[in-house]
Amino acid sequence: MNHTRKTVKKRKKKKRLRRLFLLVFLLLLGGVGAFGYNIYSETKQASSKIYQALDPSGKPARNIEMRKDPFTVLLVGVENQYHDEEGRSDVVMLLTVNPKTNKVYLLSIPRDTRVYIPSEGRKDKITHSYSHGGIQSTIAAVNELIDVPIDYYVTTDFEGFEKIVDSLGGVTVDVPFTFKAQLTGSLKWHTFHKGKQELNGNEALAYVRMRKSDPRGDFGRNERQKQVIRAIIDKSTSITSLPKLDDVIADLGDHVRTNIPPSDLLSFIYVYQKMKNADVENLHLKGYDETINGVYYYIPDEQSVSSINETLRQALETSNASLTRSDSPSTQSQN
């Protein structure tokens, strides 16, 4: 009899523990849901300040479900973005993400790369593309080189870049070699020592812009840009940074533009969180130096361009969306 009573008591105790566990779980789930909804609503409101569609109708070029379909994002660092068409596209990077294969491709296009710029009607340095029609012109110039659809873009000026880094409390990078670079604003010289170093916004900007002291020139500069972009995305999409994401976006209203809809911003964060440890393949645009009419250019190697195009098109082929580009037919034949 006593044995039976003890058994019944144990069962009741286990049942109460299970109920308690279930209650705690539901409370946590509800809390996370409310927290997520709060972030979503606040982030959506803040991100509407930086949203700028490419098409006047606001419709994307392709029907993309960011959590499922592969997509591309063009990251452009602009000088003098306040003056829109007077600025230059100082940094041009193409990010290709495939959630299905868990792969990310990152391509940096050197600023002196000679490409056909449709808005100019001639070949020029890609850094000049922004000053002849803004982001639309830069996208068209990139498409003259890389024959894949560009689904999304993000542009920021130098002040915006500094604010992003500072809002996140700085970023940590692994400096490849010791060098000195001049800081914007104060014009003071800062020494970047080889090894891991935490940088504030002003220092991070100098770090990614330095080129003359790098033995690899533009290629070394591009690697440092990728390094910092990865550090920014890692930190901005971490769970500890999400509560202040809306504040960060609100502060960047005058410095950042993107056509990622506010409703898709958290989907982008979700995808990145899911793929945080994904295999990132850095694509290198091979080419050679050439001076034409007294002006230095970086001339892309045709075989390298063809290889990059093939890699990226394969990365996007698993999508149900069409690979048709949103711009006018290619004018690459114009030399």
Side-chain angles (χ1 to χ4, degrees):
M1 189 70 176
N2 288 334
H3 177 72
T4 305
R5 285 179 180 176
K6 285 181 180 179
T7 304
V8 172
K9 284 183 179 179
K10 282 184 180 179
R11 286 177 179 172
K12 286 183 177 179
K13 189 175 181 181
K14 285 182 180 178
K15 196 172 183 180
R16 284 198 299 267
L17 285 172
R18 283 198 297 267
R19 284 178 178 174
L20 180 62
F21 175 78
L22 182 61
L23 179 62
V24 171
F25 175 76
L26 289 173
L27 285 172
L28 284 172
L29 186 63
V32 170
F35 172 70
Y37 178 77
N38 186 53
I39 291 173
Y40 168 77
S41 58
E42 290 183 3
T43 301
K44 186 176 180 181
Q45 185 177 2
S47 60
S48 63
K49 296 180 181 180
I50 65 174
Y51 177 70
Q52 184 174 301
L54 287 173
D55 190 295
S57 68
K59 294 180 180 179
R62 300 193 302 153
N63 185 22
I64 300 291
E65 287 187 58
M66 198 175 276
R67 296 191 182 206
K68 299 178 181 179
D69 297 325
F71 59 90
T72 57
V73 183
L74 187 66
L75 307 172
V76 181
V78 182
E79 287 182 304
N80 303 322
Q81 181 159 276
Y82 281 126
H83 303 93
D84 288 329
E85 298 185 6
E86 293 179 16
R88 291 185 298 177
S89 42
D90 190 63
V91 177
V92 180
M93 302 174 72
L94 183 61
L95 185 72
T96 303
V97 181
N98 189 324
K100 291 184 178 179
T101 60
N102 204 40
K103 287 205 70 173
V104 177
Y105 301 85
L106 191 56
L107 170 68
S108 286
I109 303 175
R111 53 174 288 162
D112 293 323
T113 301
R114 190 169 186 259
V115 297
Y116 182 80
I117 301 177
S119 57
E120 276 194 72
R122 65 185 180 92
K123 285 194 172 186
D124 198 353
K125 294 183 179 185
I126 200 165
T127 188
H128 296 153
S129 61
Y130 195 87
S131 60
H132 293 273
I135 188 61
Q136 291 272 21
S137 176
T138 298
I139 289 174
V142 171
N143 270 150
E144 288 297 319
L145 185 69
I146 307 301
D147 191 19
V148 297
I150 294 175
D151 301 306
Y152 305 107
Y153 77 87
V154 178
T155 68
T156 180
D157 58 20
F158 294 153
E159 189 175 345
F161 178 86
E162 289 187 32
K163 282 190 173 185
I164 291 171
V165 175
D166 286 335
S167 296
L168 294 171
V171 293
T172 302
V173 297
D174 193 358
V175 182
F177 58 90
T178 300
F179 65 90
K180 286 186 177 181
Q182 199 170 26
L183 302 175
T184 56
S186 67
L187 300 182
K188 292 180 179 179
W189 288 89
H190 179 81
T191 301
F192 296 87
H193 297 281
K194 184 178 179 180
K196 288 192 176 180
Q197 189 173 343
E198 188 168 316
L199 310 178
N200 62 30
N202 198 219
E203 294 163 351
L205 179 60
Y207 181 74
V208 300
R209 295 198 72 196
M210 189 281 290
R211 179 172 52 164
K212 293 182 179 179
S213 298
D214 195 312
R216 298 180 63 207
D218 248 344
F219 288 103
R221 181 174 182 260
N222 289 345
E223 289 304 312
R224 281 180 277 112
Q225 289 171 359
K226 291 176 184 177
Q227 191 183 33
V228 173
I229 290 295
R230 182 72 184 261
I232 288 173
I233 296 177
D234 279 347
K235 203 162 187 181
S236 62
T237 57
S238 69
I239 193 68
T240 54
S241 297
L242 288 182
K244 59 181 179 181
L245 185 60
D246 58 310
D247 293 328
V248 174
I249 295 173
D251 289 341
L252 296 174
D254 293 329
H255 307 281
V256 173
R257 292 291 178 269
T258 183
N259 68 329
I260 298 177
S263 57
D264 286 346
L265 197 58
L266 285 184
S267 290
F268 177 75
I269 294 171
Y270 168 85
V271 169
Y272 190 80
Q273 281 289 340
K274 180 185 173 185
M275 301 181 63
K276 206 163 190 179
N277 298 316
D279 179 21
V280 178
E281 184 174 341
N282 289 316
L283 303 177
H284 300 281
L285 179 63
K286 296 178 182 178
Y288 56 92
D289 302 331
E290 186 172 315
T291 300
I292 302 175
N293 297 325
V295 179
Y296 165 77
Y297 294 96
Y298 182 73
I299 310 298
D301 176 77
E302 289 185 12
Q303 189 173 350
S304 177
V305 171
S306 178
S307 176
I308 290 171
N309 276 324
E310 182 63 24
T311 297
L312 296 185
R313 289 187 72 83
Q314 285 182 6
L316 295 171
E317 271 179 4
T318 55
S319 172
N320 292 324
S322 170
L323 288 185
T324 304
R325 285 171 14 193
S326 59
D327 62 325
S328 57
S330 176
T331 49
Q332 278 190 322
S333 60
Q334 301 189 43
N335 295 309

